Amino acid sequence: MKRMILPHIFASFVSRSSHFWKRTMPITRTSSSHVIGNNRSNQRLFSSAVDVDKDVQLMEDILYRVRQVNYMPPHIQNDLFEFRVENKSLGKIRPKAAELLCKTRVDGNAIFQVAEEQDAKPFVTLTNHAGNSFESRSAAVAGVTEQLRRDGVVKGWRDELYPIKEHFYMEPLFAMERAAVPMLGALEYGVHINGIVKTDNGETKMWLARRSPTKSKYPGMLDHIVAGGVPHGVSLFDNVIKECMEEAGIPESVTRDGVRSAGAISYETYSRAADTVTRAVLFCYDLTLPQSFAPMPVDGEVEEFFLVSIEQLKAMMAKTNNDPIKPNCYSVIIDYLLREGHLSPEIPGYLDVIRELRSGDCS
């Protein structure tokens, strides 16, 4: 039997002591201080030691960037409510978000509730007022999110529906406004495109974009040439074609000729500012563009595009970089550098990066 949980359960979750936790995995650094002397052999040894030191620092910086979007302290994880519908696990909700969702009424009716089963941890689910169909659930949840928007809780409204489902290949149980998805901690799916140019001299370069200063999230930061969430009812490849045209003016024929799928990365991260959980799977694509082609801002989301070399990309990994790339884009770019052999498996930390690039729920 399921039963409603009294409001005091929220207070018990919120009042638990917080302990700041951060994963750290120190990398052994090779010192070059032992190299002495002025002969040519010692100079080569010194140069080799400096290169090793530089590579180790690069891997430390890369791990730092990957962990920026893989931040889930144990005390936060332990306090999450599972979100279930039809006995399917759809999300992870923070206590404050659960309370807001449950107390928000649509035509006087609660749409969300906290319930429990015998000897099991309480979970959030939909009430009978949400109905049992995709359409009725979507409408009921929309009523909640629209009220939370009016209350100033949901910000950055996009007028874009995301499918809510247990894994990518199942039919969604409902759809909801993109800006509100982190309140449920539901899986979000996106496509990220690495825009690649091969120069006549054999050098590889990548197109980057600078986000518009008017963007609701990460204004003015560096970004992929093209990236976007996958809305309800749109396939991955159709979304790639659409986003390439809308964001960078890339003709469909150019995209079809040059693009290839290149795997996926996943992450799960807690936002202290919003007190919500973001769980994402990003499908990666490599798009090889002609040297003669230059992307153009189209929909106002991008301020400018520019080319960078592989060495410049590596330099952008530094923690001290004062013109950083959008956090989740770092992971996709790092995945590209690994796949294309621009990072050596000889460097300590390499396997940690491989593992942590898919440490979220990749389903």
Side-chain angles (χ1 to χ4, degrees), residues 124-162:
V124 175
T125 188
L126 296 177
T127 69
N128 291 335
H129 296 293
N132 296 314
S133 69
F134 172 89
E135 291 77 15
S136 65
R137 292 189 193 108
S138 299
V141 171
V144 173
T145 56
E146 286 165 4
Q147 181 59 53
L148 291 173
R149 179 193 188 186
R150 290 191 291 270
D151 294 341
V153 175
V154 176
K155 300 175 182 178
W157 196 270
R158 303 290 292 270
D159 280 323
E160 186 176 14
L161 294 177
Y162 266 19

Side-chain angles (χ1 to χ4, degrees), residues 49-351:
V50 168
D51 287 344
V52 169
D53 220 34
K54 182 179 177 182
D55 287 343
V56 171
Q57 181 61 60
L58 172 62
M59 198 61 73
E60 285 183 351
D61 290 338
I62 284 173
L63 275 169
Y64 167 78
R65 295 301 182 183
V66 172
R67 288 169 180 170
Q68 279 187 302
V69 290
N70 283 283
Y71 172 72
M72 184 60 65
H75 71 278
I76 296 295
Q77 181 73 50
N78 292 338
D79 281 355
L80 294 173
F81 285 96
E82 182 185 17
F83 175 54
R84 292 190 216 164
V85 175
E86 292 186 353
N87 208 33
K88 293 179 172 59
S89 181
L90 300 180
K92 298 180 180 182
I93 306 178
R94 292 288 295 144
K96 182 180 177 181
E99 184 174 15
L100 285 169
L101 290 165
C102 290
K103 76 178 185 181
T104 301
R105 299 292 193 264
V106 176
D107 297 328
N109 298 315
I111 303 302
F112 291 86
Q113 66 178 348
V114 175
E116 70 175 6
E117 294 174 335
Q118 189 173 7
D119 301 323
K121 187 176 178 180
F123 61 94
V124 175
T125 188
L126 296 177
T127 69
N128 291 335
H129 296 293
N132 296 314
S133 69
F134 172 89
E135 291 77 15
S136 65
R137 292 189 193 108
S138 299
V141 171
V144 173
T145 56
E146 286 165 4
Q147 181 59 53
L148 291 173
R149 179 193 188 186
R150 290 191 291 270
D151 294 341
V153 175
V154 176
K155 300 175 182 178
W157 196 270
R158 303 290 292 270
D159 280 323
E160 186 176 14
L161 294 177
Y162 266 19
I164 305 302
K165 46 191 177 179
E166 190 172 33
H167 60 79
F168 183 73
Y169 299 101
M170 76 173 282
E171 288 298 312
L173 294 177
F174 62 94
M176 71 181 295
E177 160 61 31
R178 173 180 181 173
V181 172
M183 287 196 75
L184 296 186
L187 278 169
E188 304 176 40
Y189 300 95
V191 293
H192 277 233
I193 292 95
N194 298 305
I196 307 302
V197 173
K198 303 285 188 180
T199 66
D200 289 337
N201 63 6
E203 186 181 9
T204 298
K205 293 190 175 184
M206 182 180 289
W207 281 104
L208 292 183
R210 184 173 300 281
R211 293 166 68 86
S212 166
T214 62
K215 291 281 287 182
S216 62
K217 289 186 176 181
Y218 307 107
M221 290 188 74
L222 303 184
D223 203 336
H224 275 105
I225 182 175
V226 174
V230 181
H232 173 60
V234 180
S235 72
L236 290 172
F237 193 72
D238 284 347
N239 204 45
V240 168
I241 297 293
K242 177 178 75 73
E243 294 288 345
C244 281
M245 177 63 76
E246 291 178 355
E247 292 189 2
I250 304 173
E252 180 176 342
S253 59
V254 173
T255 301
R256 288 185 179 277
D257 286 346
V259 76
R260 69 179 182 94
S261 60
I265 63 106
S266 64
Y267 61 88
E268 181 175 289
T269 192
Y270 169 65
S271 167
R272 285 174 289 181
D275 193 23
T276 56
V277 172
T278 295
R279 301 162 62 225
V281 176
L282 303 182
F283 292 91
C284 307
Y285 291 82
D286 296 340
L287 173 59
T288 301
L289 293 165
Q291 285 190 76
S292 58
F293 179 82
M296 296 286 290
V298 176
D299 60 4
E301 294 194 4
V302 172
E303 188 175 79
E304 63 173 338
F305 294 98
F306 56 93
L307 278 171
V308 296
S309 68
I310 296 299
E311 289 307 309
Q312 287 173 315
L313 277 177
K314 291 180 180 180
M316 289 176 177
M317 301 293 156
K319 299 175 190 176
T320 56
N321 177 17
N322 60 9
D323 191 15
I325 302 169
K326 182 169 167 274
N328 64 353
C329 296
Y330 268 115
S331 292
V332 177
I333 292 170
I334 290 164
D335 177 70
Y336 172 81
L337 294 175
L338 289 166
R339 288 187 285 105
E340 295 299 311
H342 297 296
L343 298 171
S344 171
E346 304 286 349
I347 307 170
Y350 181 94
L351 292 177

